[in-house]
Amino acid sequence: MTGPQWMDEEAGPLVRPYALTGGRARHSGAKLDLITMVTATGSPTDVGIGPEQRRILEIARRGASVADIASDVDLPLGVVRVLIGDLHDLGLVDVRAPGKVAPLPSERILKEVINGLRAL
């Protein structure tokens, strides 16, 4: 009987998502929404991080949302949130919550716009 298969001919070495996060399902920092913007602020040269986190830093150099990063690194969103949280704790990325959405216009203003368009 052979041991566990750690290589996939097409994909290369296999690493389970829980191994990437050390078994954690959440990071210690603030909540990271899908549209939270992540920007690289540091260099990983002096810190021992994994290849997945290095890839996240490459993507975050130009600024990207959590959802975009998860898509680019092809990892589950929960895993990416934990990895970004770890990078944030190390001071290698800055996370910025999305801006506040302006309040919706009142019903009265919308009716005036509709009436104005009808008058045209």
Side-chain angles (χ1 to χ4, degrees):
M1 184 167 135
T2 62
Q5 184 162 345
W6 293 98
M7 289 289 288
D8 180 335
E9 290 179 17
E10 293 180 16
L14 298 176
V15 178
R16 299 281 182 218
Y18 62 82
L20 296 174
T21 64
R24 297 171 293 142
R26 293 193 177 111
H27 62 90
S28 61
K31 181 180 174 188
L32 296 173
D33 292 331
L34 291 174
I35 56 176
T36 298
M37 292 302 294
V38 181
T39 308
T41 59
S43 173
T45 56
D46 58 343
V47 181
I49 60 173
E52 295 80 13
Q53 288 175 312
R54 287 187 188 280
R55 178 72 179 120
I56 290 171
L57 283 175
E58 288 174 20
I59 296 165
R61 288 205 195 294
R62 64 182 186 272
S65 69
V66 172
D68 289 336
I69 292 171
S71 174
D72 286 351
V73 297
D74 197 26
L75 287 172
L77 182 61
V79 171
V80 171
R81 283 180 173 159
V82 172
L83 295 177
I84 291 172
D86 292 346
L87 290 171
H88 184 258
D89 291 345
L90 292 170
L92 297 174
V93 296
D94 182 38
V95 294
R96 184 174 32 95
K100 302 252 186 226
V101 177
L104 295 175
S106 69
E107 184 178 339
R108 180 188 59 79
I109 291 175
L110 292 174
K111 285 183 180 180
E112 287 180 20
V113 169
I114 290 171
N115 290 338
L117 290 171
R118 286 183 182 152
L120 295 174

